[in-house]
């Protein structure tokens, strides 16, 4: 009997080696089994072939019964799985994404707090970035990587060699190019499924309202108070959330200003511009290269949470990050009744 079993194993192995289908290999084993049973049914007791195959047909019949039980179990399990899959609901929101996008954003969709609905909200969102410099660089890169559908950026400056120490969206080859067009090239290379709108001009009072009305969220990455107060006034007037950060040397601060939803505006917290020289710009005081990356990435993360509805945002809080001593502090901020922008 053992010799027959070895023969069966050899037949199956040779079939596998020569690329025979599973059905053909099983048919060969079935033919061998039928031959052995036929020998036991037709030859008299004591015959040489009967002795070589175990003298008795009953073990072979038991083997066939066991094989049939296993086959029946596997077939039934396969039918149950097919039935369950046919009743499974179709995943939500996948109709708005191509197969390439589903693959690209797979790690997002695995997050319980984000998933397909959150990714769909990101795809439908329109975000305006003010400034294509140190803060704007990581903002644009991570919003594009996250799949934010439309990103606009306004900046009138051109790339300079001194920018490259911290403005990571630009390269040495883009020196002299307007920053918005340099950023457009990098975003297109990173994610072709994002619509990018470059505005090569300075933001002014005359066109800010019309520009902001095309977007859902504005992010301020500028380094002067005139523009910050302008961005805040227009965002408040249109009921838009404003994510703004500022930095110098080793320290940065960040908040979401959204008085339409009960939290203070930028001018509630900073009612007056600081005295000249009190808050020097990066050009005047310097800034460590990675700090804009840290703060800009935090801004992008707040935008992702704000758009998708995941987690808790910095609405009503001001976060201060000290890169030199690796300290982070968060303080509560409230609306100011006498604020000329959002006060009663």
């Amino acid at each position: 009997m053992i010799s027959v079993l070895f023969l069966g194993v050899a037949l199956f192995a040779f079939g596998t080696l020569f690329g025979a289908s599973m059905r053909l290999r099983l048919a060969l084993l079935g033919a061998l089994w039928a031959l052995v049973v036929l020998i036991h049914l037709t030859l008299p007791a004591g015959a040489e072939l009967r002795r070589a195959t175990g003298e008795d047909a009953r073990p072979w019949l038991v083997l066939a019964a066991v094989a049939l039980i296993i086959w029946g179990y596997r077939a039934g399990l396969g039918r149950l799985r097919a039935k369950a899959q046919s009743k499974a609901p179709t995943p939500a929101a996948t109709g708005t994404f191509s197969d390439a996008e589903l693959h690209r954003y797979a790690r997002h969709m695995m997050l319980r707090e984000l998933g397909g609905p959150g990714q769909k909200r990101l795809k439908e969102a329109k975000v305006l970035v003010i400034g294509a410099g140190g803060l704007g660089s990581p903002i644009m890169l991570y919003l594009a990587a996250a799949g934010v559908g439309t990103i606009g950026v306004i900046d009138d400056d051109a790339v300079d060699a001194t920018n490259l120490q911290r403005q990571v969206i630009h390269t040495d080859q883009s020196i002299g190019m307007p920053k918005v067009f340099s950023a457009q090239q990098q975003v297109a290379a990173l994610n072709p499924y994002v619509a990018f709108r470059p505005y090569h001009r300075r933001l002014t009072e005359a066109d800010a309202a019309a520009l902001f009305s095309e977007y859902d969220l504005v992010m301020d990455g500028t380094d002067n108070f005139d523009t910050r107060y302008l961005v805040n006034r227009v965002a408040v007037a249109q009921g838009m959330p404003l994510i703004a950060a500022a930095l110098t040397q080793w320290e940065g601060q960040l908040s979401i200003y959204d008085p339409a939803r009960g939290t203070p505006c930028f001018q509630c917290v900073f009612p007056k511009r600081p005295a000249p020289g009190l808050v020097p710009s990066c050009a005047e005081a310097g800034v460590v290269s990675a700090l804009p990356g840290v703060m800009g990435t935090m801004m992008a993360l707040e935008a992702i949470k704000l758009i998708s509805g995941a987690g808790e945002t910095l609405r009503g809080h001001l976060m201060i990050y000290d890169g030199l001593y690796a300290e982070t502090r968060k303080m509560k901020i409230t609306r100011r009744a006498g604020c000329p922008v959002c006060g009663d």
Side-chain angles (χ1 to χ4, degrees):
M1 183 176 180
I2 294 177
S3 60
V4 178
L5 293 176
F6 273 122
L7 179 59
V9 172
L11 284 173
F12 194 86
F14 275 112
T16 304
L17 182 63
F18 289 102
S21 66
M22 177 63 74
R23 179 172 295 182
L24 178 58
R25 284 175 280 167
L26 292 177
L28 289 173
L29 293 180
L32 179 62
W33 175 85
L35 178 61
V36 171
V37 171
L38 183 63
I39 287 172
H40 285 277
L41 293 177
T42 57
L43 295 181
E48 187 68 27
L49 284 178
R50 288 193 62 171
R51 287 200 302 270
T53 55
E55 290 283 354
D56 195 344
R58 284 176 292 183
W60 295 102
L61 296 175
V62 171
L63 181 62
V66 171
L68 286 173
I69 291 172
I70 294 173
W71 175 83
Y73 173 78
R74 289 175 61 87
L77 188 61
R79 284 194 294 271
L80 287 175
R81 285 175 177 169
K83 187 176 180 180
Q85 289 174 356
S86 66
K87 292 183 177 180
T90 303
T94 58
T96 62
F97 297 98
S98 66
D99 290 342
E101 288 175 290
L102 290 174
H103 185 66
R104 176 182 289 263
Y105 306 130
R107 300 300 184 274
H108 260 185
M109 294 184 180
M110 292 168 63
L111 295 173
R112 176 173 56 86
E113 299 84 358
L114 200 62
Q119 190 63 47
K120 183 181 179 183
R121 285 190 283 270
L122 289 173
K123 182 180 176 69
E124 294 171 347
K126 298 178 180 180
V127 178
L128 177 64
V129 181
I130 314 296
L135 291 171
S137 292
I139 290 171
M140 289 183 282
L141 289 172
Y142 274 108
L143 292 185
V148 171
T150 303
I151 301 171
V153 60
I154 182 167
D155 194 305
D156 68 340
D157 201 5
V159 180
D160 185 81
T162 60
N163 303 146
L164 303 183
Q165 167 253 11
R166 65 199 179 281
Q167 300 181 17
V168 294
I169 202 168
H170 309 301
T171 66
D172 195 70
Q173 288 72 32
S174 60
I175 290 176
M177 181 186 296
K179 288 184 178 179
V180 294
F181 300 133
S182 170
Q184 183 179 31
Q185 288 183 350
Q186 298 304 315
V187 168
L190 176 63
N191 190 347
Y193 302 101
V194 169
F196 191 87
R197 301 175 181 174
Y199 305 98
H200 183 218
R201 62 178 186 266
R202 180 177 289 273
L203 183 70
T204 66
E205 195 88 46
D207 65 357
L211 180 61
F212 282 29
S213 66
E214 299 178 17
Y215 293 89
D216 311 310
L217 170 66
V218 62
M219 306 184 71
D220 185 2
T222 60
D223 60 358
N224 71 84
F225 275 86
D226 288 335
T227 304
R228 289 172 184 166
Y229 284 130
L230 168 60
V231 170
N232 180 66
R233 286 195 303 273
V234 178
V236 171
Q238 299 198 8
M240 296 176 62
L242 165 63
I243 302 178
L247 47 85
T248 183
Q249 296 185 331
W250 295 88
E251 187 175 289
Q253 62 186 31
L254 164 65
S255 186
I256 299 178
Y257 304 100
D258 195 5
R261 291 156 189 85
T263 62
C265 77
F266 178 81
Q267 201 156 339
C268 286
V269 183
F270 303 99
K272 296 181 179 179
R273 72 188 65 239
L278 185 62
V279 183
S281 67
C282 294
E284 297 168 330
V287 59
V288 65
S289 64
L291 181 63
V294 172
M295 301 306 300
T297 301
M298 288 182 179
M299 293 175 73
L301 181 57
E302 289 300 306
I304 291 169
K305 292 190 297 179
L306 196 66
I307 294 166
S308 67
E312 294 185 7
T313 67
L314 283 173
R315 276 194 182 110
H317 291 87
L318 179 69
M319 188 189 71
I320 299 175
Y321 173 73
D322 187 335
L324 189 59
Y325 296 100
E327 293 180 349
T328 302
R329 303 184 298 279
K330 188 169 77 168
M331 61 183 71
K332 187 173 178 59
I333 53 177
T334 57
R335 293 184 67 177
R336 187 165 55 89
C339 176
V341 177
C342 72
D344 296 333

